[in-house]
Amino acid sequence: MQPQNINKIHKAFNIQAQNFENDVYGFTDKKYLGSIISKVNPCSADEVLEVAAGTCACGRAFAPVVKSVTCIDATKSMLAVGEKMAANDILDNISFVNGYAEDLPFQDNSFDIVISRLAFHHFTDIHIPFREMIRVLKSKGKLVLIDMEAVNNELRTIQNKIEIMRDNSHTKTLTRTEMTKLFTDNNLKINVCDTITVPQKIDNWLDLTNTSAKVKSNIINLMQSEMNGENKTGFYPYMKDGNICFNQIWTVIVGTLI
């Protein structure tokens, strides 16, 4: 099943692919990836699938400590970056598949760990990829969902509006309650539910998506207005070293089938 917003996804991530691995964005920061690995607690015999893997930073982090990693993503240019980085790191137990989270081309009960990181806010129907992740998960395997957390329901409308202004492949940031409900509604026991705080500089965040000057100016004005005590954006921006910054809150949930 092809995602409804696939053209937007391809356009957005063809732009982001060339810079996604840059350390300034924090998406490949070893500290955050190490925190995820410690929460998942994989073993050396595990076969891992990373869904909507992008440049496969998470899968590449897991590769040295597990048996094998498979990374699947809809955008070939993102996978190509991941494959190049894996070759540079001499990771020979990782494979790359071009495909959709909504229609995983794998047999039932194939993987010990199935992970999706920073992808669910791009899905038009979160239930379809989640069920696919469960389908390919082995009995007693671990399903791992990592995504940005909506600050609260009251501010989510403006928060999502700003996210879409920056990247129109964005659909909706989920609350922690919505994320945990995916697990409980599908008979998954939640073993870990934690957060990681990832600081972002507004300029870097906007530059990654090649945001137009006009849109960038509009977003910065909204952030400055909030810091001046006016309407809130849901980002809670602050100044640090002369830069407008905000904190992304990543929710990390690890569950097993009951």
Side-chain angles (χ1 to χ4, degrees):
M1 174 187 294
Q2 182 171 287
Q4 295 178 13
N5 61 338
I6 190 60
N7 290 333
K8 292 179 180 179
I9 287 171
H10 284 328
K11 182 178 180 180
F13 286 100
N14 281 329
I15 291 170
Q16 294 183 45
Q18 58 186 329
N19 293 316
F20 202 83
E21 291 283 322
N22 193 313
D23 291 342
V24 301
Y25 305 118
F27 301 128
T28 60
D29 191 297
K30 291 182 179 180
K31 176 178 66 175
Y32 305 133
L33 292 169
S35 176
I36 291 168
I37 291 172
S38 68
K39 296 177 195 306
V40 177
N41 192 26
C43 71
S44 59
D46 284 335
E47 296 177 297
V48 177
L49 172 67
E50 185 180 11
V51 175
T55 60
C56 316
C58 196
R60 287 186 279 117
F62 272 81
V65 296
V66 299
K67 180 180 178 180
S68 67
V69 175
T70 302
C71 295
I72 183 169
D73 195 84
T75 305
K76 291 180 180 179
S77 57
M78 292 287 278
L79 282 175
V81 172
E83 191 165 4
K84 180 180 178 180
M85 298 299 290
N88 290 344
D89 292 338
I90 317 176
L91 299 173
D92 58 5
N93 64 335
I94 185 168
S95 59
F96 304 87
V97 179
N98 182 223
Y100 303 126
E102 293 84 354
D103 188 16
L104 297 174
F106 309 110
Q107 297 294 318
D108 297 358
N109 311 309
S110 295
F111 298 95
D112 300 287
I113 300 173
V114 179
I115 302 171
S116 182
R117 184 184 75 133
L118 303 178
F120 267 68
H121 61 273
H122 293 287
F123 296 148
T124 54
D125 185 338
I126 59 174
H127 301 283
I128 296 173
F130 197 82
R131 287 196 296 266
E132 277 290 276
M133 291 170 68
I134 293 172
R135 179 183 65 77
V136 300
L137 185 66
K138 292 180 183 178
S139 176
K140 299 182 180 178
K142 297 175 183 177
L143 193 149
V144 185
L145 173 58
I146 305 149
D147 205 3
M148 304 180 308
E149 177 182 317
V151 178
N152 59 52
N153 275 320
E154 294 173 359
L155 294 175
R156 185 160 56 166
T157 297
I158 182 62
Q159 186 182 32
N160 281 321
K161 179 180 178 180
I162 293 170
E163 291 277 6
I164 292 168
M165 287 169 65
R166 169 187 175 264
D167 174 2
N168 71 356
S169 70
H170 178 96
T171 56
K172 182 176 75 172
T173 306
L174 302 176
T175 63
R176 190 183 310 184
T177 298
E178 287 170 328
M179 291 188 225
T180 56
K181 192 172 187 295
L182 283 171
F183 285 75
T184 55
D185 283 355
N186 287 280
N187 296 316
L188 287 156
K189 177 185 176 183
I190 295 176
N191 303 310
V192 175
C193 184
D194 206 347
T195 58
I196 299 172
T197 300
V198 182
Q200 295 283 355
K201 293 180 181 179
I202 289 290
D203 284 339
N204 292 342
W205 182 68
L206 294 171
D207 288 345
L208 176 61
T209 51
N210 197 25
T211 306
S212 70
K214 180 179 180 180
V215 173
K216 183 175 181 177
S217 177
N218 288 340
I219 291 174
I220 288 173
N221 287 340
L222 289 169
M223 300 295 178
Q224 289 173 329
S225 294
E226 177 170 357
M227 290 189 294
N228 291 334
E230 299 175 24
N231 293 333
K232 294 185 180 298
T233 63
F235 285 83
Y236 299 104
Y238 58 90
M239 295 298 298
K240 184 177 180 180
D241 300 328
N243 299 293
I244 301 175
C245 302
F246 69 97
N247 291 335
Q248 277 187 345
I249 307 301
W250 296 0
T251 294
V252 182
I253 305 174
V254 183
T256 52
L257 287 169
I258 298 172

